[in-house]
C-alpha cells in the first residue's frame, strides 16, 4: 500500500500537476512534491539509514523549503513571475531579471542556487544512505523502539559474541 501511495504521489506531481500549468496546478504540484519528500522519511525508517544520512536528508529538506520561500519572496519584490509560471518564456524571464536592480538579481540568483544545491543534497543523502542500513558495523542503529534488534541477535541471525559472553571479552 505504501509503495502504491508513493507511486501515485509521483504520478500526481509529474504527470497530472506539472510545473507551469498555472497557479493552481503549480500549488498542487508543490503540495504533491512535499508529500512525496515526506514519504521518504518513512523510507528512512524502513531502510534503517544511518544517522548522518538521515540528518543530511532532514537538513537539506528544511533548506529546500526555506530557499523556495525566500526565492519566491524575492521574485515578488521584483514583480517577477515564478520560473515555472504558465506562458512566461525563459527569454521573457531573463529580460525581466535584467531590468531588476543588481542587488535584487544577486539575491534571486543566490536563493535559486540554494534551491538547486538543497535539491541535490536531498537526493544525494537519500541515495547514498540507502545501503547504510544493510550493515551494522559501526553501531549506528536506527534508535526507534520498533527497530531495535532482539538482544543478542544480529541482523544476519547469528548470535552476538558480546551478548553470549555476558559482555565479557
Amino acid at each position: 500500500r505504501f509503495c502504491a501511495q508513493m507511486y501515485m504521489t509521483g504520478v500526481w506531481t509529474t504527470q497530472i500537476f506539472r510545473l507551469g500549468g498555472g497557479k493552481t496546478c503549480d500549488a498542487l504540484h508543490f503540495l504533491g512534491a512535499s508529500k512525496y519528500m515526506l514519504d521518504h522519511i518513512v523510507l528512512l525508517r524502513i531502510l534503517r539509514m544511518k544517522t548522518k544520512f538521515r540528518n543530511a536528508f532532514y537538513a537539506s529538506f528544511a533548506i529546500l523549503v526555506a530557499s523556495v520561500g525566500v526565492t519566491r519572496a524575492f521574485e515578488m519584490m521584483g514583480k517577477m513571475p515564478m520560473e515555472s509560471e504558465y506562458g512566461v518564456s525563459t527569454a521573457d524571464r531573463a529580460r525581466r531579471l535584467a531590468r531588476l536592480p543588481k542587488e535584487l538579481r544577486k539575491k534571486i540568483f543566490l536563493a535559486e542556487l540554494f534551491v538547486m544545491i538543497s535539491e541535490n543534497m536531498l537526493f544525494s543523502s537519500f541515495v547514498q544512505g540507502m545501503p547504510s542500513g544493510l550493515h551494522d558495523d559501526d553501531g549506528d542503529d536506527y534508535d526507534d523502539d520498533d527497530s531495535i534488534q532482539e538482544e543478542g541477535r544480529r541482523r544476519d541471525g547469528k548470535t552476538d559474541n558480546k551478548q553470549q559472553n555476558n559482555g565479557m571479552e
Side-chain angles (χ1 to χ4, degrees):
R1 187 189 303 196
F2 177 73
C3 290
Q5 172 194 315
M6 277 196 79
Y7 178 79
M8 289 310 299
T9 305
V11 169
W12 168 286
T13 305
T14 62
Q15 303 301 311
I16 300 171
F17 298 108
R18 294 181 181 177
L19 277 176
K23 290 185 185 211
T24 302
C25 187
D26 286 354
L28 291 169
H29 171 85
F30 282 113
L31 179 70
S34 297
K35 172 72 172 95
Y36 187 71
M37 288 295 95
L38 290 171
D39 285 343
H40 280 72
I41 292 172
V42 175
L43 285 177
L44 299 177
R45 291 176 55 109
I46 292 169
L47 298 173
R48 300 175 54 85
M49 282 191 200
K50 302 294 182 201
T51 303
K52 64 183 175 185
F53 296 107
R54 293 191 320 266
N55 289 344
F57 183 88
Y58 300 143
S60 57
F61 188 41
I63 293 167
L64 175 61
V65 169
S67 54
V68 165
V70 168
T71 299
R72 188 61 197 132
F74 287 148
E75 288 172 337
M76 290 170 65
M77 286 173 57
K79 296 180 176 46
M80 289 287 301
M82 289 190 304
E83 189 173 13
S84 63
E85 196 164 311
Y86 180 74
V88 178
S89 70
T90 303
D92 184 41
R93 182 172 163 81
R95 281 191 295 276
R96 290 182 188 192
L97 272 171
R99 288 187 289 232
L100 293 178
K102 183 178 180 179
E103 195 60 35
L104 185 55
R105 281 196 318 262
K106 183 178 178 181
K107 288 177 181 179
I108 290 172
F109 170 80
L110 290 173
E112 288 177 340
L113 180 62
F114 269 87
V115 169
M116 289 183 236
I117 290 170
S118 59
E119 279 180 320
N120 283 293
M121 284 175 38
L122 190 70
F123 175 76
S124 183
S125 63
F126 187 81
V127 171
Q128 291 180 31
M130 283 193 308
S132 72
L134 298 176
H135 305 288
D136 189 25
D137 37 353
D138 65 357
D140 185 25
D141 276 339
Y142 201 93
D143 319 342
D144 288 346
D145 292 337
D146 60 340
S147 62
I148 295 174
Q149 297 296 308
E150 178 184 329
E151 197 170 314
R153 296 294 243 169
R154 300 185 331 196
R155 282 193 197 118
D156 60 10
K158 297 179 183 173
T159 303
D160 188 351
N161 288 336
K162 288 181 186 175
Q163 291 293 330
Q164 192 174 38
N165 297 327
N166 294 326
M168 303 273 203
E169 288 195 359

